[in-house]
Amino acid sequence: MKSDTQETQADAVAGKIRALILNGTFHPGQPLRQEALSEQLGVSRTPLRHALQSLAEDGLVEITGYKGARVKELDQGMVSDLFDMRLLLEPLALRSALRHHTKLDFAKAEMALDAADAEQDLAKLAELNWDFHYALYRPSNRQTLLRTIEQLNKASAFAEVMASSIAVRSEKSSSEHRKLLQACQNGDEVGAVSMLREHLQLARHDIRNWEE
Amino acid sequence: MKSDTQETQADAVAGKIRALILNGTFHPGQPLRQEALSEQLGVSRTPLRHALQSLAEDGLVEITGYKGARVKELDQGMVSDLFDMRLLLEPLALRSALRHHTKLDFAKAEMALDAADAEQDLAKLAELNWDFHYALYRPSNRQTLLRTIEQLNKASAFAEVMASSIAVRSEKSSSEHRKLLQACQNGDEVGAVSMLREHLQLARHDIRNWEE
DNA sequence: GCATGAGGTATTGGATACAATTATGAAATC
DNA sequence: GATTTCATAATTGTATCCAATACCTCATGC
């Protein structure tokens, strides 16, 4: 997961802001003032600005020229779109990866699951969620596909947190994840794919119920 | 297509650099030095940096911390991934849009096609290409889906230009586009979707043949 | 001869200062 | 009283300057 690129302050700050958003410290629609944030996080406005731009790419904040950045509102169609896309793309990645899985991949996936079961912090839980899925998809070695799926997952995590769904269904999610992992280990392609589909549909359903 | 957000110099510069890349002035792998570019484009390094970050999001350049930005190399799997994804996502957008098309949408699409037939500049041709597809998908009103599809289209345009494919198959592409538009106007859902699929597959095929 | 490390240069990342734009609010006008 | 206007403040975008990091050369040791 670690890239060879030297981490810059902007990246670090982006991570911190992401955590603050996912933890609920910053709520949807809230404006993110550059000066205040920069002093709060102990950096200048320059890297902060880059961080905000990064978060905008990930769909967590919305930037409007000369008007500033605010935490994105979770609109009605966003959840549908995200999960429709994930339902189309992730089975493709999983199928491409299935023949190339190694024991190390399964170990990484299981490690993420175990850590998730003990995790309370929502931001870290979301991160572990992605670690699990990524472990299963990465052996496909399809970088471009993986990058898009990662974006969609990050945005989904945002939606789940906003809908207070990620905490509520964590134990359900865990069992679904373990079944999916088991199917992958057995080399059961149709089972794994259908388990993945079911998992995504259940997640979407639970989010839907929480938004009014 | 114009958003209400005030265009900033960073955005303008991003557009210029994108054009320079698509026109072949900057070739893949070439490093993009900030100082040189900033003086060439008449802006400071600060907005230039933001522009490069934007282009990195679009997948046209690659940024590595403290090492700089370079025009992205067109790797083998990228084309496959992009078109696999487009083949899954764009039919969904088209189907969602079909019932909501208005005469204005068709007019916009046709205008883009007519302009494309007379266009020589590769960057503008790529832009018109997207304008056409966007006109057909936008009535779906699915913003998140559209945003992802836009990214994929921009990246595809990059790949097509790099493979010297966009110029060669422009007349073929035009006829495919017009058939697709016709099917949409007739309200022929299955015809439109299959035409779209064929169009994408042909584009992928022609790119494949040009890369060695 | 080749690896290795010190030093200097080139280039990027970050901090600060300044300009451009937008939001705010009070006064004037209908 | 509501609305428009204009000035002022708050906020973002841009330019400039400084610091951190990577790259390249060249000396030095084996």
Side-chain angles (χ1 to χ4, degrees):
Chain A
M1 174 166 178
K2 264 292 182 187
S3 181
D4 64 338
T5 175
Q6 177 80 345
E7 171 153 277
T8 177
Q9 296 201 33
D11 301 332
V13 165
K16 289 182 186 176
I17 298 178
R18 178 180 289 113
L20 287 172
I21 293 178
L22 270 60
N23 285 331
T25 309
F26 297 149
H27 39 275
Q30 173 171 349
L32 301 174
R33 293 283 150 51
Q34 297 178 1
E35 193 174 12
L37 265 185
S38 67
E39 106 172 16
Q40 177 175 345
L41 298 176
V43 296
S44 173
R45 274 181 49 209
T46 312
L48 179 80
R49 197 157 219 303
H50 285 272
L52 289 176
Q53 195 175 339
S54 277
L55 294 173
E57 304 166 22
D58 291 358
L60 276 84
V61 310
E62 221 166 7
I63 296 182
T64 322
Y66 289 102
K67 289 201 331 190
R70 46 187 53 212
V71 181
K72 192 160 182 177
E73 304 261 8
L74 178 58
D75 65 288
Q76 168 66 5
M78 180 174 160
V79 173
S80 301
D81 286 358
L82 286 175
F83 280 90
D84 280 351
M85 288 193 271
R86 291 184 61 185
L87 274 163
L88 291 172
L89 299 185
E90 297 193 18
L92 173 62
L94 182 62
R95 269 196 295 262
S96 297
L98 268 176
R99 299 169 196 283
H100 305 97
H101 279 139
T102 83
K103 284 167 190 160
L104 179 60
D105 298 317
F106 294 138
K108 286 182 187 171
E110 201 161 357
M111 197 181 311
L113 287 185
D114 291 340
D117 284 340
E119 184 60 61
Q120 295 300 323
D121 183 51
L122 293 183
K124 290 179 185 169
L125 189 55
E127 184 70 29
L128 290 170
N129 246 352
W130 166 241
D131 286 348
F132 170 74
H133 283 263
Y134 183 74
L136 293 187
Y137 305 152
R138 191 201 47 81
S140 71
N141 252 75
R142 302 182 65 165
Q143 299 176 279
T144 305
L145 175 61
L146 285 173
R147 214 178 82 90
T148 302
I149 291 179
E150 178 172 6
Q151 284 183 245
L152 298 178
N153 271 265
K154 295 277 176 67
S156 289
F158 172 68
E160 291 184 56
V161 168
M162 288 310 141
S164 312
S165 153
I166 194 170
V168 168
R169 70 184 304 281
S170 63
E171 63 286 352
K172 274 194 284 182
S173 179
S174 175
S175 108
E176 293 159 24
H177 278 164
R178 290 190 190 278
K179 284 185 204 160
L180 170 56
L181 175 58
Q182 191 61 47
C184 290
Q185 284 172 320
N186 294 343
D188 174 12
E189 171 164 338
V190 300
V193 169
S194 79
M195 194 59 232
L196 172 59
R197 284 218 177 84
E198 189 179 346
H199 170 55
L200 291 174
Q201 277 159 351
L202 288 172
R204 161 156 64 182
H205 181 266
D206 283 355
I207 295 184
R208 271 274 174 76
N209 282 5
W210 275 87
E211 59 180 347
E212 61 278 65
Chain B
M1 174 166 181
K2 264 291 182 186
S3 181
D4 64 337
T5 174
Q6 176 81 352
E7 171 155 273
T8 178
Q9 294 202 36
D11 301 331
V13 165
K16 289 183 186 175
I17 299 179
R18 178 181 289 113
L20 286 172
I21 293 177
L22 292 172
N23 285 331
T25 309
F26 298 149
H27 38 274
Q30 174 171 349
L32 300 174
R33 295 282 151 60
Q34 297 178 2
E35 192 173 14
L37 266 184
S38 67
E39 105 172 18
Q40 177 176 346
L41 297 176
V43 296
S44 171
R45 273 180 49 209
T46 311
L48 180 80
R49 241 140 80 62
H50 285 277
L52 289 176
Q53 193 175 341
S54 276
L55 294 173
E57 303 165 22
D58 291 357
L60 276 84
V61 310
E62 221 166 8
I63 296 183
T64 322
Y66 288 102
K67 288 201 334 189
R70 47 185 57 216
V71 181
K72 192 160 182 177
E73 305 261 8
L74 178 59
D75 64 289
Q76 170 66 4
M78 179 174 160
V79 174
S80 301
D81 287 357
L82 287 175
F83 280 90
D84 279 351
M85 288 192 272
R86 291 184 61 185
L87 274 163
L88 290 172
L89 299 185
E90 297 193 19
L92 173 62
L94 182 61
R95 269 196 295 261
S96 298
L98 267 175
R99 299 169 196 282
H100 306 98
H101 279 140
T102 82
K103 284 168 189 157
L104 180 59
D105 297 319
F106 294 138
K108 285 182 188 171
E110 201 162 359
M111 198 181 308
L113 287 186
D114 292 341
D117 285 340
E119 185 58 61
Q120 296 300 321
D121 183 52
L122 293 184
K124 290 179 185 170
L125 189 56
E127 185 70 28
L128 290 170
N129 246 351
W130 166 241
D131 287 347
F132 170 74
H133 283 263
Y134 182 73
L136 293 187
Y137 303 152
R138 190 199 48 80
S140 71
N141 253 74
R142 303 182 64 165
Q143 298 177 278
T144 306
L145 176 60
L146 285 173
R147 212 179 84 90
T148 303
I149 292 179
E150 178 172 6
Q151 285 183 243
L152 299 177
N153 271 265
K154 295 277 175 67
S156 288
F158 172 68
E160 291 184 55
V161 168
M162 287 311 141
S164 312
S165 153
I166 194 171
V168 168
R169 70 184 303 282
S170 62
E171 63 288 351
K172 274 194 284 182
S173 177
S174 175
S175 109
E176 293 159 24
H177 278 163
R178 290 189 189 277
K179 284 184 204 161
L180 170 57
L181 174 58
Q182 191 62 47
C184 290
Q185 284 171 321
N186 293 343
D188 174 12
E189 172 164 339
V190 299
V193 169
S194 78
M195 194 60 232
L196 173 58
R197 284 218 178 85
E198 190 180 343
H199 169 56
L200 291 174
Q201 278 160 350
L202 289 172
R204 160 155 67 182
H205 181 265
D206 283 356
I207 296 183
R208 271 275 173 74
N209 282 5
W210 275 88
E211 59 178 349
E212 62 277 65

